[in-house]
Amino acid sequence: MIVYQNTKNAFIDDVVSNNIENIIHEYFQNTIGYSTSNSEINSWRNSMQYMSNILLDPDIPNDSGVVIEYQIQQTSKRIDFILTGENENKVSHAILIELKQWSEAKISDKDGIVSTFVGKRVREVSHPSY
């Protein structure tokens, strides 16, 4: 299930409109069928600004696809951001991006676990490599 899908140019326009978090939230409610927390809405506002800045790179084609909040079938897990497109040989590619609101994180001795400040203290949290 996909919450938001558009081209690179349309995504950048949605971000420039200063309304991207509301656009995603509306799609979220219509697609998933319920609302989400204010912290997730704020994270969309913050993260999508950064992603828009990255996509301003002229080497990324304007018709590249942008997918936000792709829900993996038969799970409750979602992929935050996917960039899709074709190379010069017309071979399809997708880049999966996990967005975090962390200001810093430290590697731990445990596989797929980092230490970061979340929930008012430093915690070990899952950071899986898909």
Side-chain angles (χ1 to χ4, degrees):
M1 180 179 319
I2 296 171
V3 171
Y4 174 97
Q5 182 175 8
N6 226 322
T7 63
K8 166 190 159 177
N9 272 354
F11 168 74
I12 291 170
D13 288 345
D14 285 345
V15 172
V16 170
S17 76
N18 288 318
N19 200 32
I20 187 65
E21 70 277 10
N22 295 320
I23 294 168
I24 296 170
H25 188 230
E26 183 177 326
Y27 282 125
F28 186 93
Q29 289 175 306
N30 292 335
T31 303
I32 305 284
Y34 57 87
S35 189
T36 189
S37 68
N38 284 334
S39 62
E40 185 164 29
I41 295 168
N42 289 335
S43 76
W44 290 331
R45 179 185 311 113
N46 297 330
S47 297
M48 297 311 145
Q49 290 288 337
Y50 286 101
M51 293 310 301
S52 175
N53 289 343
I54 290 167
L55 293 182
L56 289 174
D57 184 327
D59 288 337
I60 301 171
N62 291 331
D63 63 349
S64 296
V66 170
V67 173
I68 299 171
E69 300 294 349
Y70 173 79
Q71 186 163 0
I72 301 170
Q73 291 182 357
Q74 300 178 348
T75 74
S76 62
K77 301 202 180 279
R78 290 181 272 146
I79 299 171
D80 295 332
F81 195 97
I82 303 173
L83 184 62
T84 64
E86 295 180 338
N87 67 12
E88 60 277 355
N89 297 320
K90 301 292 183 195
V91 175
S92 297
H93 291 274
I95 300 170
L96 312 180
I97 302 167
E98 176 69 17
L99 300 168
K100 297 292 182 195
Q101 296 294 305
W102 305 336
S103 56
E104 65 180 69
K106 295 183 180 167
I107 298 172
S108 78
D109 295 333
K110 300 173 186 169
D111 185 36
I113 303 291
V114 296
S115 295
T116 189
F117 188 83
V118 63
K120 301 182 182 178
R121 67 182 176 94
V122 175
R123 300 174 191 262
E124 288 187 335
V125 296
S126 173
H127 192 269
S129 55
Y130 291 93

